[in-house]
Amino acid sequence: MTDKAILALLAGLLGATALGGCTVGPDFKRPDWATPASWFAGPKEAVKPPPSIPVAEPIDVDWWTLFKDPVLTELERRVASENLDVKVAATRFAESRAQLGIAKAAQFPTLNANGSYTREKASDEGVFGLIPSSAGAAAANGASGNSAGGVTGSGLAPFDLYQGGFDASWEVDLWGGVRRSVESSSASSEAAKEAQRATLLSSLAEVARDYVQLRGAQAELQIARDNVNTARQSLNLTQQRAAGGVTTDLDVANASAQLRTNLAEIPRLEQQEAQLINALSLLLGQPPNALREQLATAKAVPPVPPRVPVGLPSELARRRPDIRQAEAQLHAATAEIGVAQANFYPSLNLTGSFGLQSLQFSNLFSLNARQYAMGPGLTIPIFEGGQLRSTLQLRQAQQQEAAITFQKTVLQAWHDIDNALTAYQTEQARRDELARAVAENRRAVTLAQSRYAQGVADFLSVLDAERSLLQTQQALAQSTTNVSSNLVALYKALGGGWETDMPDASRTAVK
């Protein structure tokens, strides 16, 4: 067969392959999921609407600006570029893009260039030893009488061999296995991208939560210090009355014990404050106490706004990165079924090589030195010991698992939102009642101290009033903190804002 006939045969084979190629395996279809008509709003028997209510309005990407706290806003803007978890997620996304590039490369032929020079010596005791000396010399050296070698006194002489050329190969994607592999890698890359978004969202929410908790701890610390001053005043009063013989040392001992109890609260709250400052430092990739100068000055807990935009239920899938990640993983698992099915069918490989070979370098580039080989190769799986079938069953089971995971992720999202909305509403009601309780307890303390000073009441009534005031003040501070923390949890459950594009800084891997 001539060279032209071989080329024509290969061209016809490629054309038939291009026309007859198909893609096996199921095509991915985006799963349906039920969407409530409106957000859940917690208990319906509430006496009156809370001061801050969720509304179906667009969510700002920078949702933390609703707190109107410049320190919090500055910390949040540093998360994308400084948080180490976000950097790791960005690196993993870069890895997934590289994996996609590897999968795409399988769609194209491979071409390699090669060149070599070798100095060879055939064994006198090997197969050439069966050939007569003159024929053996010719076989070993390519031609009888070649100056590169010949028969010596000791047998076959060494010779030089120069070679150079190109090798090409291509596995024709007859059944779409490579295309399904690219589809799977692309979906996996999309899942890694959504995982990066989820990491960013979690880090933003964690910074906001820790910041709110820090301001709450500082508020409780101030309450504890104020109550220490009140307890000191009570102790001074009892000491003066005991010195005048109006009361006994029992009141002095009770007042002193109350003061020590209040003092004991301060170290615990100072420890909590230090731990929260360190937690924020870690979230921003900083060493311990790096943010102390910025955060040590006490500020009020960031208040919640009267209206909280929560978007629409139908938009949840666009905001929740975990839902989008689960969908991408389901897509990748579906494509892997096609990859497994393609392995059941014959595979066609087209190979070719062209090169030059000569015993002398001066003849290497002559027409007579050329050599080539080309042609198709067909591989048909006959017996694999059940490996192909088991692999297909594995991929099908993994696809079912991914489908169930997607359903659970969507259901979990609705539960998270419902719980967050309920907690946000009910905690506001609790906070309002505690505020009223603090006002009444403060009035009770004033009355008890006045009656004690007038000698118409014992000191135990003063202690009880002060203890009740301290407890309700701490409970009010904690509830105020919880309301703002619940708003953070709500926005985390909603998927944050519209982070369709990651901030540029978050794409920077650790150098």
Side-chain angles (χ1 to χ4, degrees):
M1 182 178 291
T2 65
D3 294 354
K4 291 183 178 180
I6 294 175
L7 293 174
L9 175 61
L10 290 177
L13 184 59
L14 288 175
T17 299
L19 293 175
C22 63
T23 303
V24 298
D27 293 326
F28 175 72
K29 295 181 180 179
R30 177 168 292 182
D32 296 328
W33 51 291
T35 303
S38 62
W39 297 117
F40 307 116
K44 303 299 188 296
E45 63 275 6
V47 177
K48 63 178 182 178
S52 177
I53 59 173
V55 291
E57 296 177 358
I59 300 176
D60 188 357
V61 173
D62 300 332
W63 49 266
W64 52 86
T65 57
L66 291 173
F67 291 110
K68 299 188 183 304
D69 189 311
V71 178
L72 174 60
T73 299
E74 193 273 333
L75 293 176
E76 294 286 20
R77 288 176 177 169
R78 295 171 57 182
V79 171
S81 60
E82 299 182 26
N83 182 267
L84 298 181
D85 290 333
V86 175
K87 289 184 177 182
V88 170
T91 304
R92 288 173 179 168
F93 175 54
E95 293 172 0
S96 71
R97 298 298 298 176
Q99 289 288 348
L100 176 59
I102 294 173
K104 287 183 176 180
Q107 299 177 105
F108 304 99
T110 60
L111 178 64
N112 299 301
N114 59 76
S116 67
Y117 159 76
T118 56
R119 176 73 174 174
E120 299 185 17
K121 167 67 171 68
S123 172
D124 296 337
E125 302 298 333
V127 294
F128 289 109
L130 300 176
I131 306 174
S133 60
S134 60
N141 295 291
S144 178
N146 192 308
S147 59
V151 180
T152 65
S154 59
L156 300 175
F159 62 94
D160 298 324
L161 184 63
Y162 300 89
Q163 297 185 96
F166 300 91
D167 294 320
S169 64
W170 181 35
E171 181 178 351
V172 183
D173 192 21
L174 287 174
W175 317 109
V178 175
R179 293 191 291 274
R180 290 299 191 194
S181 178
V182 172
E183 181 183 355
S184 175
S185 296
S186 179
S188 296
S189 179
E190 189 65 24
K193 184 178 180 180
E194 297 304 333
Q196 182 185 6
R197 285 197 183 99
T199 302
L200 176 61
L201 172 62
S202 296
S203 299
L204 292 170
E206 187 65 20
V207 167
R209 190 193 71 84
D210 286 352
Y211 181 81
V212 169
Q213 294 289 333
L214 170 64
R215 296 312 186 193
Q218 290 174 338
E220 290 186 56
L221 186 58
Q222 186 59 48
I223 292 171
R225 288 168 176 164
D226 291 342
N227 278 275
V228 165
N229 294 331
T230 301
R232 280 200 176 102
Q233 293 173 1
S234 297
L235 177 60
N236 292 335
L237 178 60
T238 57
Q239 288 174 337
Q240 292 172 3
R241 289 175 62 83
V246 180
T247 187
T248 65
D249 288 339
L250 177 60
D251 289 348
V252 175
N254 286 331
S256 179
Q258 182 64 31
L259 173 61
R260 298 304 173 186
T261 301
N262 292 346
L263 285 170
E265 282 294 302
I266 293 178
R268 178 183 67 83
L269 294 171
E270 288 177 338
Q271 176 189 0
Q272 185 178 353
E273 178 189 33
Q275 289 175 340
L276 287 167
I277 291 176
N278 283 341
L280 288 166
S281 300
L282 179 60
L283 286 169
L284 296 180
Q286 300 296 320
N289 295 312
L291 301 177
R292 173 163 289 279
E293 182 177 353
Q294 182 180 5
L295 300 176
T297 302
K299 291 186 62 177
V301 174
V304 296
R307 296 168 63 86
V308 177
V310 295
L312 298 174
S314 59
E315 299 168 346
L316 178 64
R318 296 177 59 188
R319 285 200 304 266
R320 286 274 299 215
D322 57 341
I323 292 178
R324 291 155 53 145
Q325 180 184 0
E327 181 179 324
Q329 290 171 338
L330 175 58
H331 188 174
T334 303
E336 285 295 327
I337 295 178
V339 177
Q341 288 182 347
N343 291 330
F344 282 84
Y345 299 94
S347 60
L348 177 64
N349 287 274
L350 303 180
T351 60
S353 65
F354 174 82
L356 302 170
Q357 185 182 79
S358 175
L359 294 174
Q360 297 189 20
F361 184 78
S362 59
N363 297 328
L364 181 62
F365 299 99
S366 65
L367 290 177
N368 291 333
R370 63 179 177 168
Q371 61 177 8
Y372 62 84
M374 63 182 67
L378 190 66
T379 302
I380 302 175
I382 297 177
F383 178 72
E384 299 286 346
Q387 178 182 358
L388 297 180
R389 187 171 300 279
S390 297
T391 300
L392 178 58
Q393 292 173 349
L394 173 63
R395 299 294 180 252
Q396 290 171 337
Q398 290 173 336
Q399 193 262 359
Q400 293 174 3
E401 178 185 358
I404 296 172
T405 300
F406 174 80
Q407 294 175 355
K408 180 181 177 182
T409 302
V410 173
L411 185 61
Q412 184 65 57
W414 290 117
H415 277 270
D416 291 344
I417 294 170
D418 185 73
N419 291 337
L421 284 169
T422 301
Y424 187 60
Q425 175 176 296
T426 55
E427 191 62 40
Q428 290 184 74
R430 179 172 180 269
R431 178 200 59 192
D432 295 343
E433 293 300 328
L434 286 170
R436 297 184 185 96
V438 168
E440 293 298 329
N441 281 327
R442 187 174 286 115
R443 179 170 171 267
V445 168
T446 301
L447 292 174
Q449 289 175 341
S450 176
R451 289 173 59 82
Y452 177 69
Q454 296 172 5
V456 297
D458 59 15
F459 188 67
L460 290 178
S461 61
V462 177
L463 286 179
D464 290 340
E466 289 180 350
R467 289 168 183 165
S468 297
L469 176 60
L470 175 59
Q471 291 173 356
T472 53
Q473 283 179 324
Q474 290 177 335
L476 176 59
Q478 292 169 0
S479 181
T480 302
T481 301
N482 290 340
V483 169
S484 296
S485 296
N486 289 343
L487 180 57
V488 174
L490 175 59
Y491 273 110
K492 182 180 179 182
L494 291 170
W498 297 97
E499 292 91 350
T500 54
D501 295 316
M502 291 292 296
D504 291 338
S506 68
R507 296 193 181 101
T508 305
V510 180
K511 299 295 184 181

